[in-house]
Amino acid sequence: GYFDPLGFAQSGITLNEIKRNREAEVMHGRVAMIACLGYIVGEQFPSPFGITGPANDQLQQMPAIPFVMLSSTIAAVEIRRASIGWKEPDFGDWSKTLWKLRDNYYPGDVGFDPLGLKPTDARDFANMQTKELQNGRLAMIGWAGMCAQELCNHRTIMDTIEFYQKVYAGVNPYESCGDGIIC
């Protein structure tokens, strides 16, 4: 059904604004899905740089050169996405091109589909798109929860699960800690 309590698609909103909001939602959802996977995988498997601990603390442990490479890769991907979907700026009159998507650009469709998962049928594409949006929304909420949990207790996701398994099994999760040791 139609659900828009904040009025993002109310009458008077231009098609460009709706497409821009959809672009933001799709891209943030994709990043959140990768982030959720990265939290679990990054905490469970050793990295080539000796990075350990909760995912919230891992970025600052990266050596400088890999960090610059990661930042450069992200910048290159974002520049490519902008060149595909967004109009070039008109420095003479910003109001013509600022925040404008190309007319033939579909939000989120940057032409990257190495596994060939994008359906060719319009109905199947709409269903796939709805699934991606819903999973992206769930991932954004999930990532926020994982980030908040690690900020609160400074434990990895799996350490937190083990901690609460002990609590619910009636075992004191602190009994293996020494005096004055935070664990």
Side-chain angles (χ1 to χ4, degrees):
Y2 183 73
F3 179 75
D4 186 21
L6 298 179
F8 287 119
Q10 66 187 351
S11 62
I13 304 288
T14 66
L15 178 61
N16 184 71
E17 289 175 292
I18 291 172
K19 286 173 63 175
R20 196 176 71 227
N21 288 339
R22 173 61 63 95
E23 170 83 359
E25 186 175 21
V26 168
M27 290 302 164
H28 283 89
R30 289 174 181 170
V31 168
M33 287 186 272
I34 292 170
C36 287
L37 182 64
Y39 260 67
I40 304 297
V41 172
E43 292 176 350
Q44 293 304 304
F45 298 102
S47 80
F49 309 114
I51 297 171
T52 60
N56 286 356
D57 301 332
Q58 290 183 357
L59 192 60
Q60 59 264 35
Q61 295 178 39
M62 281 187 78
I65 293 173
F67 180 76
V68 169
M69 291 171 59
L70 173 68
S71 300
S72 299
T73 302
I74 292 169
V77 168
E78 285 299 311
I79 289 170
R80 174 159 163 64
R81 183 175 68 90
S83 68
I84 291 171
W86 296 79
K87 290 184 178 178
E88 287 79 12
D90 179 2
F91 295 108
D93 185 5
W94 283 94
S95 64
K96 290 182 183 176
T97 58
L98 187 63
W99 307 114
K100 303 283 190 219
L101 291 170
R102 297 182 191 278
D103 293 332
N104 62 348
Y105 175 67
Y106 192 84
D109 189 6
V110 292
F112 181 74
D113 186 20
L115 300 177
L117 298 175
K118 180 181 174 184
T120 54
D121 179 60
R123 180 179 224 154
D124 292 341
F125 179 70
N127 286 336
M128 178 75 82
Q129 186 180 42
T130 300
K131 290 174 187 177
E132 181 182 23
L133 281 171
Q134 290 174 337
N135 285 310
R137 290 169 182 162
L138 181 62
M140 286 186 266
I141 294 168
W143 172 82
M146 288 190 282
C147 183
Q149 172 263 303
E150 288 191 0
L151 287 171
C152 289
N153 69 5
H154 303 287
R155 296 175 190 270
T156 67
I157 301 298
M158 292 302 167
D159 286 347
T160 300
I161 291 171
E162 290 173 16
F163 178 87
Y164 284 107
Q165 283 176 338
K166 290 178 183 177
V167 169
Y168 293 128
V171 177
N172 180 0
Y174 298 111
E175 73 183 351
S176 62
C177 300
D179 289 335
I181 296 175
I182 299 173
C183 66

